[in-house]
Amino acid sequence: MHDEFLTTLRDATQREKLASILTWIQLHYPHLDAVVKWNQPMFLDHGTFIIGFSVSKQHIAVAPEVVAMKQFDLAIQEAGYKATSNLFRIKWNDAISWDLLEQIISFNIEDKSAITSFWR
């Protein structure tokens, strides 16, 4: 599903960096459903949103929902990422904090285990 989205990225460096994140998630969380909604690759668990990504010229925006953003605010800052209340940005030349992604995804899977709606 994400392969189609990745082909829309003209810049090879951007395509490879986002592909590495999406592939890593698929390998570490094979039970999550990979989908594209609103032109954004994302992962769902039992139909509920876990994490999504969007691409701009300057960065990858990582959107795990506000509850997770609040939970990991300090860790996001410590990783050196700029953030808003809804997302944080990984610049194209930034290192990817795999530990942070793992913590956020695992938190959302557990925290949303009983949620039946798409959003919290």
Side-chain angles (χ1 to χ4, degrees), residues 41-113:
M42 57 183 64
F43 291 90
L44 310 179
D45 188 18
H46 65 276
T48 191
F49 177 86
I50 298 299
I51 195 164
F53 302 88
S54 59
V55 174
S56 79
K57 186 175 181 178
Q58 303 296 324
H59 60 264
I60 298 170
V62 182
E65 287 191 304
V66 174
V67 171
M69 289 297 299
K70 287 179 182 176
Q71 178 76 19
F72 294 97
D73 180 56
L74 184 58
I76 291 166
Q77 290 177 43
E78 289 173 350
Y81 301 137
K82 301 288 184 207
T84 68
S85 61
N86 294 316
L87 58 86
F88 64 94
R89 297 175 184 95
I90 302 174
K91 291 183 181 177
W92 294 113
N93 60 349
D94 284 347
I96 299 167
S97 175
W98 300 110
D99 288 340
L100 178 61
L101 281 177
E102 182 174 21
Q103 290 171 24
I104 290 171
I105 293 167
S106 295
F107 170 80
N108 270 349
I109 290 169
E110 170 129 359
D111 192 56
K112 296 184 78 177
S113 64

